[in-house]
Each structure stands twice: as structure tokens, then as C-alpha cells.
Amino acid sequence: MRHIVYQPTNVCSKKIEFDISQNNEVFNLVFHGGCSGNLKAISKLLEGEKAEKIIELLNGNTCGNRHTSCADQLTQALKET
């Protein structure tokens, strides 16, 4: 299991942390900052999910007038791992 710390850009979250297994499953996802309730819910829903599936579901998700979101920034982190 590897621990990943990612610095998102252009969103309210200041840091995204998660563990990724050898099978490419995401665990212990935590967003620091941002919309607390929504991001806690997203973290619970994605627990144990394959990185590829998360990318498929959330890539390109926007927030307000921004061209990205905290969820989209998670996909960027996953693409880099």
C-alpha cells in the first residue's frame, strides 16, 4: 500500500490524501478543506474502489464556474500514481 499526498489546484481543498493498494484500489481518502460534508460522503462512497473506475466516474467534473473540482482533482492525482 502506498500513501499519496496531492496538492490540488484551483479548488477549495488544499490537500488530498489516500492510500492505493497493489490492486489499484483507493482507501483512506481524505480531502483537507473544501465542502466538508460532500467530500466526506465522496470519500465513503469511493472506499475500496478501483482507481480506473474513480477516474471514469469523476474525470472532468466541474464546480461552479471553475473548469475543475475537488473530485476532478482526485482523478488528476490518480492519473499521476
Side-chain angles (χ1 to χ4, degrees):
M1 188 98 56
R2 289 185 303 143
H3 185 73
I4 307 297
V5 177
Y6 183 76
Q7 300 297 142
T9 58
N10 299 317
V11 295
C12 297
S13 291
K14 300 302 177 206
K15 182 168 56 172
I16 302 171
E17 292 188 71
F18 58 92
D19 296 319
I20 192 154
S21 73
Q22 291 178 340
N23 294 328
N24 229 19
E25 298 162 326
V26 173
F27 296 96
N28 307 313
L29 174 60
V30 177
F31 292 85
H32 298 274
C35 303
S36 180
N38 290 335
L39 294 173
K40 285 178 187 174
I42 288 171
S43 297
K44 287 180 181 181
L45 291 170
L46 298 180
E47 183 72 11
E49 192 64 65
K50 293 271 191 182
E52 296 83 4
K53 179 68 173 183
I54 295 171
I55 293 168
E56 179 184 319
L57 287 171
L58 300 177
N59 189 53
N61 190 65
T62 60
C63 181
N65 61 356
R66 297 177 182 169
H67 297 297
T68 190
S69 66
C70 295
D72 181 59
Q73 287 294 296
L74 171 61
T75 70
Q76 303 311 310
L78 291 169
K79 289 176 186 179
E80 290 182 14
T81 60

